[in-house]
PDB file of all heavy atoms in Angstrom:
ATOM      1  N   VAL A 308     106.954  74.119 127.973  1.00 87.00           N
ATOM      2  CA  VAL A 308     106.189  72.873 127.902  1.00 87.00           C
ATOM      3  C   VAL A 308     104.738  73.147 127.530  1.00 87.00           C
ATOM      4  O   VAL A 308     104.146  72.448 126.696  1.00 87.00           O
ATOM      5  CB  VAL A 308     106.270  72.122 129.249  1.00 87.00           C
ATOM      6  CG1 VAL A 308     105.260  70.998 129.304  1.00 87.00           C
ATOM      7  CG2 VAL A 308     107.668  71.569 129.452  1.00 87.00           C
ATOM      8  N   LEU A 309     104.135  74.155 128.146  1.00 86.00           N
ATOM      9  CA  LEU A 309     102.738  74.436 127.855  1.00 86.00           C
ATOM     10  C   LEU A 309     102.553  74.933 126.433  1.00 86.00           C
ATOM     11  O   LEU A 309     101.475  74.781 125.851  1.00 86.00           O
ATOM     12  CB  LEU A 309     102.192  75.448 128.854  1.00 86.00           C
ATOM     13  CG  LEU A 309     102.069  74.931 130.302  1.00 86.00           C
ATOM     14  CD1 LEU A 309     101.691  76.062 131.246  1.00 86.00           C
ATOM     15  CD2 LEU A 309     101.057  73.801 130.392  1.00 86.00           C
ATOM     16  N   LYS A 311     104.401  73.765 123.928  1.00 79.00           N
ATOM     17  CA  LYS A 311     104.679  72.635 123.033  1.00 79.00           C
ATOM     18  C   LYS A 311     103.676  71.492 123.165  1.00 79.00           C
ATOM     19  O   LYS A 311     103.380  70.805 122.184  1.00 79.00           O
ATOM     20  CB  LYS A 311     106.073  72.074 123.333  1.00 79.00           C
ATOM     21  CG  LYS A 311     107.240  72.938 122.920  1.00 79.00           C
ATOM     22  CD  LYS A 311     108.549  72.234 123.278  1.00 79.00           C
ATOM     23  CE  LYS A 311     109.768  73.003 122.831  1.00 79.00           C
ATOM     24  NZ  LYS A 311     111.031  72.306 123.192  1.00 79.00           N
ATOM     25  N   GLN A 312     103.194  71.254 124.378  1.00 82.00           N
ATOM     26  CA  GLN A 312     102.531  69.994 124.673  1.00 82.00           C
ATOM     27  C   GLN A 312     101.018  70.118 124.816  1.00 82.00           C
ATOM     28  O   GLN A 312     100.491  71.169 125.153  1.00 82.00           O
ATOM     29  CB  GLN A 312     103.087  69.426 125.987  1.00 82.00           C
ATOM     30  CG  GLN A 312     104.505  68.930 125.889  1.00 82.00           C
ATOM     31  CD  GLN A 312     104.609  67.662 125.055  1.00 82.00           C
ATOM     32  OE1 GLN A 312     103.738  66.808 125.073  1.00 82.00           O
ATOM     33  NE2 GLN A 312     105.696  67.551 124.309  1.00 82.00           N
ATOM     34  N   LYS A 313     100.340  68.986 124.571  1.00 86.00           N
ATOM     35  CA  LYS A 313      98.915  68.898 124.856  1.00 86.00           C
ATOM     36  C   LYS A 313      98.689  68.975 126.355  1.00 86.00           C
ATOM     37  O   LYS A 313      99.564  68.654 127.143  1.00 86.00           O
ATOM     38  CB  LYS A 313      98.351  67.571 124.315  1.00 86.00           C
ATOM     39  CG  LYS A 313      98.588  67.327 122.834  1.00 86.00           C
ATOM     40  CD  LYS A 313      98.092  65.947 122.443  1.00 86.00           C
ATOM     41  CE  LYS A 313      98.316  65.686 120.949  1.00 86.00           C
ATOM     42  NZ  LYS A 313      99.742  65.571 120.618  1.00 86.00           N
ATOM     43  N   ARG A 314      97.488  69.360 126.773  1.00 88.00           N
ATOM     44  CA  ARG A 314      97.141  69.379 128.189  1.00 88.00           C
ATOM     45  C   ARG A 314      96.768  67.969 128.643  1.00 88.00           C
ATOM     46  O   ARG A 314      96.027  67.276 127.956  1.00 88.00           O
ATOM     47  CB  ARG A 314      95.950  70.311 128.458  1.00 88.00           C
ATOM     48  CG  ARG A 314      96.132  71.723 127.923  1.00 88.00           C
ATOM     49  CD  ARG A 314      97.099  72.521 128.781  1.00 88.00           C
ATOM     50  NE  ARG A 314      97.127  73.915 128.367  1.00 88.00           N
ATOM     51  CZ  ARG A 314      97.974  74.426 127.509  1.00 88.00           C
ATOM     52  NH1 ARG A 314      98.898  73.662 126.958  1.00 88.00           N
ATOM     53  NH2 ARG A 314      97.935  75.706 127.194  1.00 88.00           N
ATOM     54  N   PRO A 315      97.265  67.525 129.792  1.00 92.00           N
ATOM     55  CA  PRO A 315      96.875  66.193 130.275  1.00 92.00           C
ATOM     56  C   PRO A 315      95.409  66.162 130.670  1.00 92.00           C
ATOM     57  O   PRO A 315      94.872  67.120 131.220  1.00 92.00           O
ATOM     58  CB  PRO A 315      97.788  65.965 131.485  1.00 92.00           C
ATOM     59  CG  PRO A 315      98.239  67.318 131.911  1.00 92.00           C
ATOM     60  CD  PRO A 315      98.234  68.180 130.679  1.00 92.00           C
ATOM     61  N   ALA A 316      94.750  65.035 130.375  1.00 89.00           N
ATOM     62  CA  ALA A 316      93.341  64.870 130.739  1.00 89.00           C
ATOM     63  C   ALA A 316      93.172  64.426 132.179  1.00 89.00           C
ATOM     64  O   ALA A 316      92.057  64.425 132.701  1.00 89.00           O
ATOM     65  CB  ALA A 316      92.678  63.864 129.803  1.00 89.00           C
ATOM     66  N   GLY A 317      94.254  64.019 132.821  1.00 91.00           N
ATOM     67  CA  GLY A 317      94.199  63.556 134.200  1.00 91.00           C
ATOM     68  C   GLY A 317      95.584  63.581 134.815  1.00 91.00           C
ATOM     69  O   GLY A 317      96.559  63.973 134.170  1.00 91.00           O
ATOM     70  N   PRO A 318      95.713  63.125 136.067  1.00 93.00           N
ATOM     71  CA  PRO A 318      96.989  63.242 136.777  1.00 93.00           C
ATOM     72  C   PRO A 318      97.902  62.026 136.656  1.00 93.00           C
ATOM     73  O   PRO A 318      98.964  62.001 137.261  1.00 93.00           O
ATOM     74  CB  PRO A 318      96.530  63.399 138.231  1.00 93.00           C
ATOM     75  CG  PRO A 318      95.289  62.579 138.307  1.00 93.00           C
ATOM     76  CD  PRO A 318      94.612  62.709 136.970  1.00 93.00           C
ATOM     77  N   ARG A 319      97.520  61.000 135.880  1.00 95.00           N
ATOM     78  CA  ARG A 319      98.229  59.712 135.899  1.00 95.00           C
ATOM     79  C   ARG A 319      99.371  59.695 134.872  1.00 95.00           C
ATOM     80  O   ARG A 319      99.140  59.876 133.679  1.00 95.00           O
ATOM     81  CB  ARG A 319      97.250  58.575 135.615  1.00 95.00           C
ATOM     82  CG  ARG A 319      96.083  58.523 136.600  1.00 95.00           C
ATOM     83  CD  ARG A 319      94.946  57.663 136.067  1.00 95.00           C
ATOM     84  NE  ARG A 319      94.426  58.185 134.810  1.00 95.00           N
ATOM     85  CZ  ARG A 319      93.407  57.639 134.145  1.00 95.00           C
ATOM     86  NH1 ARG A 319      92.808  56.568 134.622  1.00 95.00           N
ATOM     87  NH2 ARG A 319      92.979  58.170 133.002  1.00 95.00           N
ATOM     88  N   LEU A 320     100.588  59.443 135.366  1.00 96.00           N
ATOM     89  CA  LEU A 320     101.778  59.460 134.518  1.00 96.00           C
ATOM     90  C   LEU A 320     102.343  58.058 134.371  1.00 96.00           C
ATOM     91  O   LEU A 320     102.440  57.310 135.348  1.00 96.00           O
ATOM     92  CB  LEU A 320     102.842  60.373 135.123  1.00 96.00           C
ATOM     93  CG  LEU A 320     104.178  60.471 134.381  1.00 96.00           C
ATOM     94  CD1 LEU A 320     104.005  61.110 133.010  1.00 96.00           C
ATOM     95  CD2 LEU A 320     105.189  61.267 135.211  1.00 96.00           C
ATOM     96  N   THR A 321     102.720  57.715 133.138  1.00 97.00           N
ATOM     97  CA  THR A 321     103.415  56.459 132.865  1.00 97.00           C
ATOM     98  C   THR A 321     104.870  56.769 132.536  1.00 97.00           C
ATOM     99  O   THR A 321     105.151  57.666 131.753  1.00 97.00           O
ATOM    100  CB  THR A 321     102.774  55.720 131.677  1.00 97.00           C
ATOM    101  OG1 THR A 321     101.408  55.446 131.993  1.00 97.00           O
ATOM    102  CG2 THR A 321     103.501  54.416 131.391  1.00 97.00           C
ATOM    103  N   LEU A 384     106.626  52.003 123.753  1.00 95.00           N
ATOM    104  CA  LEU A 384     105.849  53.239 123.648  1.00 95.00           C
ATOM    105  C   LEU A 384     104.614  53.045 122.778  1.00 95.00           C
ATOM    106  O   LEU A 384     103.577  53.697 123.010  1.00 95.00           O
ATOM    107  CB  LEU A 384     106.726  54.359 123.097  1.00 95.00           C
ATOM    108  CG  LEU A 384     107.807  54.849 124.072  1.00 95.00           C
ATOM    109  CD1 LEU A 384     108.800  55.764 123.369  1.00 95.00           C
ATOM    110  CD2 LEU A 384     107.162  55.597 125.246  1.00 95.00           C
ATOM    111  N   VAL A 387     102.163  51.680 125.259  1.00 94.00           N
ATOM    112  CA  VAL A 387     101.779  52.696 126.243  1.00 94.00           C
ATOM    113  C   VAL A 387     100.840  53.724 125.619  1.00 94.00           C
ATOM    114  O   VAL A 387      99.917  54.220 126.278  1.00 94.00           O
ATOM    115  CB  VAL A 387     103.038  53.372 126.808  1.00 94.00           C
ATOM    116  CG1 VAL A 387     102.685  54.630 127.589  1.00 94.00           C
ATOM    117  CG2 VAL A 387     103.811  52.405 127.688  1.00 94.00           C
ATOM    118  N   SER A 393      96.276  55.992 131.177  1.00 95.00           N
ATOM    119  CA  SER A 393      97.456  56.850 131.292  1.00 95.00           C
ATOM    120  C   SER A 393      97.143  58.217 130.694  1.00 95.00           C
ATOM    121  O   SER A 393      96.554  58.317 129.618  1.00 95.00           O
ATOM    122  CB  SER A 393      98.639  56.226 130.555  1.00 95.00           C
ATOM    123  OG  SER A 393      99.732  57.119 130.501  1.00 95.00           O
ATOM    124  N   ASP A 394      97.542  59.277 131.406  1.00 95.00           N
ATOM    125  CA  ASP A 394      97.280  60.650 130.951  1.00 95.00           C
ATOM    126  C   ASP A 394      98.527  61.357 130.425  1.00 95.00           C
ATOM    127  O   ASP A 394      98.431  62.474 129.931  1.00 95.00           O
ATOM    128  CB  ASP A 394      96.698  61.476 132.096  1.00 95.00           C
ATOM    129  CG  ASP A 394      95.419  60.875 132.648  1.00 95.00           C
ATOM    130  OD1 ASP A 394      94.501  60.613 131.854  1.00 95.00           O
ATOM    131  OD2 ASP A 394      95.347  60.648 133.875  1.00 95.00           O
ATOM    132  N   GLY A 395      99.683  60.721 130.549  1.00 95.00           N
ATOM    133  CA  GLY A 395     100.918  61.319 130.076  1.00 95.00           C
ATOM    134  C   GLY A 395     102.053  60.317 130.158  1.00 95.00           C
ATOM    135  O   GLY A 395     101.960  59.308 130.869  1.00 95.00           O
ATOM    136  N   VAL A 396     103.133  60.599 129.423  1.00 96.00           N
ATOM    137  CA  VAL A 396     104.263  59.665 129.335  1.00 96.00           C
ATOM    138  C   VAL A 396     105.560  60.422 129.594  1.00 96.00           C
ATOM    139  O   VAL A 396     105.764  61.524 129.066  1.00 96.00           O
ATOM    140  CB  VAL A 396     104.327  58.978 127.958  1.00 96.00           C
ATOM    141  CG1 VAL A 396     105.537  58.062 127.863  1.00 96.00           C
ATOM    142  CG2 VAL A 396     103.050  58.192 127.686  1.00 96.00           C
ATOM    143  N   LEU A 397     106.416  59.819 130.415  1.00 97.00           N
ATOM    144  CA  LEU A 397     107.776  60.315 130.630  1.00 97.00           C
ATOM    145  C   LEU A 397     108.741  59.231 130.174  1.00 97.00           C
ATOM    146  O   LEU A 397     108.717  58.111 130.697  1.00 97.00           O
ATOM    147  CB  LEU A 397     108.010  60.640 132.102  1.00 97.00           C
ATOM    148  CG  LEU A 397     109.459  60.933 132.520  1.00 97.00           C
ATOM    149  CD1 LEU A 397     110.043  62.092 131.721  1.00 97.00           C
ATOM    150  CD2 LEU A 397     109.545  61.205 134.020  1.00 97.00           C
ATOM    151  N   VAL A 398     109.570  59.553 129.188  1.00 96.00           N
ATOM    152  CA  VAL A 398     110.567  58.612 128.665  1.00 96.00           C
ATOM    153  C   VAL A 398     111.917  58.979 129.269  1.00 96.00           C
ATOM    154  O   VAL A 398     112.385  60.108 129.124  1.00 96.00           O
ATOM    155  CB  VAL A 398     110.650  58.669 127.130  1.00 96.00           C
ATOM    156  CG1 VAL A 398     111.575  57.578 126.620  1.00 96.00           C
ATOM    157  CG2 VAL A 398     109.270  58.537 126.510  1.00 96.00           C
ATOM    158  N   LEU A 419     106.279  59.672 119.356  1.00 91.00           N
ATOM    159  CA  LEU A 419     105.945  60.614 120.422  1.00 91.00           C
ATOM    160  C   LEU A 419     105.110  61.768 119.894  1.00 91.00           C
ATOM    161  O   LEU A 419     104.181  62.243 120.570  1.00 91.00           O
ATOM    162  CB  LEU A 419     107.225  61.155 121.061  1.00 91.00           C
ATOM    163  CG  LEU A 419     108.151  60.130 121.733  1.00 91.00           C
ATOM    164  CD1 LEU A 419     109.323  60.839 122.402  1.00 91.00           C
ATOM    165  CD2 LEU A 419     107.398  59.283 122.739  1.00 91.00           C
ATOM    166  N   LYS A 420     105.414  62.243 118.703  1.00 88.00           N
ATOM    167  CA  LYS A 420     104.694  63.393 118.157  1.00 88.00           C
ATOM    168  C   LYS A 420     103.256  63.051 117.792  1.00 88.00           C
ATOM    169  O   LYS A 420     102.396  63.934 117.704  1.00 88.00           O
ATOM    170  CB  LYS A 420     105.441  63.928 116.932  1.00 88.00           C
ATOM    171  CG  LYS A 420     106.814  64.515 117.284  1.00 88.00           C
ATOM    172  CD  LYS A 420     107.601  64.924 116.071  1.00 88.00           C
ATOM    173  CE  LYS A 420     107.063  66.163 115.412  1.00 88.00           C
ATOM    174  NZ  LYS A 420     107.966  66.666 114.351  1.00 88.00           N
ATOM    175  N   GLU A 421     102.966  61.758 117.610  1.00 89.00           N
ATOM    176  CA  GLU A 421     101.614  61.342 117.235  1.00 89.00           C
ATOM    177  C   GLU A 421     100.755  60.978 118.443  1.00 89.00           C
ATOM    178  O   GLU A 421      99.552  60.771 118.314  1.00 89.00           O
ATOM    179  CB  GLU A 421     101.683  60.132 116.290  1.00 89.00           C
ATOM    180  CG  GLU A 421     102.261  60.462 114.917  1.00 89.00           C
ATOM    181  CD  GLU A 421     102.427  59.220 114.060  1.00 89.00           C
ATOM    182  OE1 GLU A 421     102.008  58.125 114.522  1.00 89.00           O
ATOM    183  OE2 GLU A 421     102.951  59.328 112.943  1.00 89.00           O
ATOM    184  N   MET A 422     101.339  60.896 119.625  1.00 91.00           N
ATOM    185  CA  MET A 422     100.564  60.516 120.806  1.00 91.00           C
ATOM    186  C   MET A 422      99.502  61.570 121.119  1.00 91.00           C
ATOM    187  O   MET A 422      99.734  62.766 120.965  1.00 91.00           O
ATOM    188  CB  MET A 422     101.479  60.329 122.019  1.00 91.00           C
ATOM    189  CG  MET A 422     102.227  59.023 122.034  1.00 91.00           C
ATOM    190  SD  MET A 422     102.911  58.687 123.677  1.00 91.00           S
ATOM    191  CE  MET A 422     103.818  57.169 123.348  1.00 91.00           C
ATOM    192  N   ASN A 423      98.352  61.108 121.600  1.00 90.00           N
ATOM    193  CA  ASN A 423      97.264  62.031 121.941  1.00 90.00           C
ATOM    194  C   ASN A 423      97.295  62.430 123.417  1.00 90.00           C
ATOM    195  O   ASN A 423      96.273  62.715 124.020  1.00 90.00           O
ATOM    196  CB  ASN A 423      95.913  61.408 121.599  1.00 90.00           C
ATOM    197  CG  ASN A 423      95.662  60.132 122.379  1.00 90.00           C
ATOM    198  OD1 ASN A 423      96.546  59.648 123.101  1.00 90.00           O
ATOM    199  ND2 ASN A 423      94.476  59.579 122.250  1.00 90.00           N
ATOM    200  N   LYS A 424      98.478  62.376 123.997  1.00 92.00           N
ATOM    201  CA  LYS A 424      98.674  62.770 125.386  1.00 92.00           C
ATOM    202  C   LYS A 424     100.034  63.438 125.499  1.00 92.00           C
ATOM    203  O   LYS A 424     100.905  63.236 124.631  1.00 92.00           O
ATOM    204  CB  LYS A 424      98.571  61.554 126.303  1.00 92.00           C
ATOM    205  CG  LYS A 424      99.585  60.460 126.041  1.00 92.00           C
ATOM    206  CD  LYS A 424      99.302  59.193 126.852  1.00 92.00           C
ATOM    207  CE  LYS A 424      98.118  58.443 126.313  1.00 92.00           C
ATOM    208  NZ  LYS A 424      97.899  57.144 126.990  1.00 92.00           N
ATOM    209  N   PRO A 425     100.270  64.242 126.525  1.00 93.00           N
ATOM    210  CA  PRO A 425     101.570  64.921 126.641  1.00 93.00           C
ATOM    211  C   PRO A 425     102.710  63.941 126.870  1.00 93.00           C
ATOM    212  O   PRO A 425     102.551  62.922 127.553  1.00 93.00           O
ATOM    213  CB  PRO A 425     101.395  65.837 127.851  1.00 93.00           C
ATOM    214  CG  PRO A 425     100.272  65.257 128.629  1.00 93.00           C
ATOM    215  CD  PRO A 425      99.363  64.614 127.623  1.00 93.00           C
ATOM    216  N   VAL A 426     103.865  64.257 126.279  1.00 94.00           N
ATOM    217  CA  VAL A 426     105.051  63.414 126.386  1.00 94.00           C
ATOM    218  C   VAL A 426     106.237  64.278 126.805  1.00 94.00           C
ATOM    219  O   VAL A 426     106.509  65.322 126.206  1.00 94.00           O
ATOM    220  CB  VAL A 426     105.380  62.717 125.056  1.00 94.00           C
ATOM    221  CG1 VAL A 426     106.612  61.825 125.226  1.00 94.00           C
ATOM    222  CG2 VAL A 426     104.201  61.917 124.551  1.00 94.00           C
ATOM    223  N   LEU A 427     106.929  63.850 127.855  1.00 94.00           N
ATOM    224  CA  LEU A 427     108.157  64.501 128.303  1.00 94.00           C
ATOM    225  C   LEU A 427     109.291  63.491 128.241  1.00 94.00           C
ATOM    226  O   LEU A 427     109.053  62.277 128.205  1.00 94.00           O
ATOM    227  CB  LEU A 427     108.005  65.021 129.736  1.00 94.00           C
ATOM    228  CG  LEU A 427     106.849  65.984 129.999  1.00 94.00           C
ATOM    229  CD1 LEU A 427     106.754  66.311 131.482  1.00 94.00           C
ATOM    230  CD2 LEU A 427     107.000  67.257 129.180  1.00 94.00           C
ATOM    231  N   ALA A 428     110.512  63.993 128.234  1.00 94.00           N
ATOM    232  CA  ALA A 428     111.670  63.105 128.161  1.00 94.00           C
ATOM    233  C   ALA A 428     112.730  63.570 129.146  1.00 94.00           C
ATOM    234  O   ALA A 428     112.795  64.754 129.507  1.00 94.00           O
ATOM    235  CB  ALA A 428     112.241  63.084 126.743  1.00 94.00           C
ATOM    236  N   GLY A 447     109.903  69.598 119.549  1.00 85.00           N
ATOM    237  CA  GLY A 447     108.694  69.833 120.320  1.00 85.00           C
ATOM    238  C   GLY A 447     108.483  68.918 121.500  1.00 85.00           C
ATOM    239  O   GLY A 447     107.435  68.973 122.146  1.00 85.00           O
ATOM    240  N   ILE A 448     109.460  68.038 121.812  1.00 89.00           N
ATOM    241  CA  ILE A 448     109.373  67.159 122.977  1.00 89.00           C
ATOM    242  C   ILE A 448     110.345  67.681 124.023  1.00 89.00           C
ATOM    243  O   ILE A 448     111.558  67.580 123.846  1.00 89.00           O
ATOM    244  CB  ILE A 448     109.712  65.692 122.623  1.00 89.00           C
ATOM    245  CG1 ILE A 448     108.864  65.206 121.446  1.00 89.00           C
ATOM    246  CG2 ILE A 448     109.543  64.807 123.848  1.00 89.00           C
ATOM    247  CD1 ILE A 448     107.377  65.203 121.715  1.00 89.00           C
ATOM    248  N   SER A 449     109.832  68.244 125.106  1.00 87.00           N
ATOM    249  CA  SER A 449     110.710  68.838 126.106  1.00 87.00           C
ATOM    250  C   SER A 449     111.563  67.773 126.770  1.00 87.00           C
ATOM    251  O   SER A 449     111.041  66.792 127.318  1.00 87.00           O
ATOM    252  CB  SER A 449     109.876  69.570 127.164  1.00 87.00           C
ATOM    253  OG  SER A 449     109.163  70.632 126.574  1.00 87.00           O
ATOM    254  N   VAL A 460     107.173  68.652 136.508  1.00 93.00           N
ATOM    255  CA  VAL A 460     106.587  69.473 135.451  1.00 93.00           C
ATOM    256  C   VAL A 460     105.276  68.849 134.960  1.00 93.00           C
ATOM    257  O   VAL A 460     104.292  69.562 134.719  1.00 93.00           O
ATOM    258  CB  VAL A 460     107.577  69.650 134.286  1.00 93.00           C
ATOM    259  CG1 VAL A 460     106.865  70.121 133.028  1.00 93.00           C
ATOM    260  CG2 VAL A 460     108.669  70.640 134.678  1.00 93.00           C
ATOM    261  N   PHE A 461     105.241  67.531 134.834  1.00 95.00           N
ATOM    262  CA  PHE A 461     103.993  66.886 134.398  1.00 95.00           C
ATOM    263  C   PHE A 461     102.872  67.192 135.388  1.00 95.00           C
ATOM    264  O   PHE A 461     101.746  67.504 134.991  1.00 95.00           O
ATOM    265  CB  PHE A 461     104.157  65.374 134.254  1.00 95.00           C
ATOM    266  CG  PHE A 461     102.845  64.690 133.979  1.00 95.00           C
ATOM    267  CD1 PHE A 461     102.305  64.698 132.704  1.00 95.00           C
ATOM    268  CD2 PHE A 461     102.125  64.080 135.001  1.00 95.00           C
ATOM    269  CE1 PHE A 461     101.070  64.108 132.446  1.00 95.00           C
ATOM    270  CE2 PHE A 461     100.895  63.483 134.758  1.00 95.00           C
ATOM    271  CZ  PHE A 461     100.371  63.489 133.470  1.00 95.00           C
ATOM    272  N   HIS A 462     103.171  67.083 136.694  1.00 93.00           N
ATOM    273  CA  HIS A 462     102.119  67.362 137.665  1.00 93.00           C
ATOM    274  C   HIS A 462     101.687  68.824 137.596  1.00 93.00           C
ATOM    275  O   HIS A 462     100.494  69.128 137.740  1.00 93.00           O
ATOM    276  CB  HIS A 462     102.593  67.038 139.079  1.00 93.00           C
ATOM    277  CG  HIS A 462     101.559  67.331 140.120  1.00 93.00           C
ATOM    278  ND1 HIS A 462     100.380  66.626 140.199  1.00 93.00           N
ATOM    279  CD2 HIS A 462     101.511  68.273 141.092  1.00 93.00           C
ATOM    280  CE1 HIS A 462      99.655  67.119 141.186  1.00 93.00           C
ATOM    281  NE2 HIS A 462     100.307  68.118 141.737  1.00 93.00           N
ATOM    282  N   MET A 464     101.647  70.601 134.909  1.00 92.00           N
ATOM    283  CA  MET A 464     100.787  70.667 133.732  1.00 92.00           C
ATOM    284  C   MET A 464      99.374  70.241 134.085  1.00 92.00           C
ATOM    285  O   MET A 464      98.391  70.854 133.642  1.00 92.00           O
ATOM    286  CB  MET A 464     101.339  69.767 132.624  1.00 92.00           C
ATOM    287  CG  MET A 464     102.643  70.209 132.021  1.00 92.00           C
ATOM    288  SD  MET A 464     103.315  68.974 130.880  1.00 92.00           S
ATOM    289  CE  MET A 464     102.114  69.052 129.547  1.00 92.00           C
ATOM    290  N   TRP A 465      99.267  69.185 134.905  1.00 92.00           N
ATOM    291  CA  TRP A 465      97.937  68.722 135.305  1.00 92.00           C
ATOM    292  C   TRP A 465      97.247  69.758 136.191  1.00 92.00           C
ATOM    293  O   TRP A 465      96.050  70.018 136.019  1.00 92.00           O
ATOM    294  CB  TRP A 465      98.042  67.378 136.024  1.00 92.00           C
ATOM    295  CG  TRP A 465      96.811  67.062 136.838  1.00 92.00           C
ATOM    296  CD1 TRP A 465      96.726  66.906 138.177  1.00 92.00           C
ATOM    297  CD2 TRP A 465      95.491  66.866 136.324  1.00 92.00           C
ATOM    298  NE1 TRP A 465      95.433  66.640 138.536  1.00 92.00           N
ATOM    299  CE2 TRP A 465      94.654  66.619 137.429  1.00 92.00           C
ATOM    300  CE3 TRP A 465      94.940  66.900 135.049  1.00 92.00           C
ATOM    301  CZ2 TRP A 465      93.290  66.377 137.293  1.00 92.00           C
ATOM    302  CZ3 TRP A 465      93.566  66.681 134.913  1.00 92.00           C
ATOM    303  CH2 TRP A 465      92.767  66.416 136.016  1.00 92.00           C
ATOM    304  N   SER A 468      95.921  72.419 133.942  1.00 88.00           N
ATOM    305  CA  SER A 468      94.750  71.951 133.203  1.00 88.00           C
ATOM    306  C   SER A 468      93.521  71.890 134.096  1.00 88.00           C
ATOM    307  O   SER A 468      92.413  72.259 133.689  1.00 88.00           O
ATOM    308  CB  SER A 468      95.021  70.563 132.598  1.00 88.00           C
ATOM    309  OG  SER A 468      96.102  70.605 131.708  1.00 88.00           O
TER     310      SER A 468
END
Side-chain angles (χ1 to χ4, degrees):
V308 168
L309 292 173
K311 289 180 177 180
Q312 290 290 324
K313 304 175 180 68
R314 307 285 188 267
R319 303 164 300 182
L320 178 65
T321 300
L384 290 169
V387 167
S393 172
D394 302 307
V396 177
L397 170 57
V398 186
L419 299 184
K420 294 175 72 171
E421 292 175 4
M422 282 196 184
N423 61 354
K424 60 188 73 174
V426 181
L427 304 175
I448 307 298
S449 297
V460 163
F461 173 79
H462 179 67
M464 292 173 68
W465 162 243
S468 299

